[in-house]
Amino acid sequence: MLVMKFGGSSLAKPERLQQVGALIRDGHQRNQGKPIGVVVSALGGVTDQLVRLLAACQRGDSATEERRLLRQRHLDMLAALASDWPASLRDQTAAALEQRLQQLNQDLDGVHLLRACPDEVQARVLACGEQLSVLLVESLLRASELRVQR
């Protein structure tokens, strides 16, 4: 089985993410249409941003602006990628991103309220960056008419 792994710097900008999509499509062709595994990291810098968000919430800072910037970065990435996608795919991806960001905010609100972060919550918060990237890459591949399974 062919497995392709892309780190955060490969996903840092829309043009880099487009290149990732092209590499995956090429890998799929080279693999003669057989399934391939794709592993993606969070967009470049997002994991560090999530660590900062957790620390701020544990200190009692709600980190509203940092949360807004994280959300906006992912929505901006979607807008840059999806200009020629079907509206239904663009809307579905935006809704999925918003849902995951809402879950993140609920976790961060809990950390802020308790001024503590249980290990399970920390793991969920730190995994959020990869989960958001998966949503973007998955939709990018669907827009290229590749079959995607999670």
Side-chain angles (χ1 to χ4, degrees):
M1 173 182 232
L2 175 64
V3 176
M4 302 176 84
K5 162 75 167 85
F6 299 96
S9 63
S10 298
L11 309 171
K13 296 180 180 180
E15 56 274 8
R16 302 286 312 266
L17 220 151
Q18 291 283 14
Q19 291 172 341
V20 164
L23 289 169
I24 293 169
R25 286 188 300 277
D26 291 346
H28 182 32
Q29 287 176 342
R30 281 194 319 271
N31 206 36
Q32 301 173 345
K34 295 177 193 160
I36 63 172
V38 177
V39 179
V40 295
S41 296
L43 302 181
V46 166
T47 300
D48 290 339
Q49 191 173 18
L50 292 168
V51 169
R52 288 192 307 272
L53 277 166
L54 274 175
C57 288
Q58 285 179 299
R59 289 190 313 270
D61 179 354
S62 63
T64 304
E65 180 62 10
E66 190 83 11
R67 293 185 201 203
R68 186 193 69 74
L69 291 171
L70 179 73
R71 175 182 178 272
Q72 195 59 52
R73 180 165 182 207
H74 287 85
L75 294 178
D76 288 348
M77 181 68 81
L78 173 60
L81 294 172
S83 62
D84 60 347
W85 293 2
S88 60
L89 179 58
R90 188 173 48 248
D91 294 346
Q92 178 185 18
T93 306
L97 288 171
E98 291 287 9
Q99 180 181 8
R100 184 59 192 97
L101 289 163
Q102 182 179 353
Q103 292 168 345
L104 171 66
N105 282 326
Q106 289 172 351
D107 284 335
L108 292 172
D109 289 344
V111 171
H112 178 253
L113 181 67
L114 296 173
R115 306 292 191 269
C117 185
D119 291 343
E120 178 182 321
V121 173
Q122 181 179 357
R124 217 172 28 240
V125 167
L126 295 179
C128 180
E130 283 80 8
Q131 293 165 345
L132 292 167
S133 288
V134 164
L135 293 171
L136 291 168
V137 171
E138 178 180 15
S139 293
L140 178 67
L141 297 175
R142 287 183 193 278
S144 299
E145 299 183 2
L146 285 179
R147 192 167 143 245
V148 178
Q149 289 182 273
R150 259 195 254 180

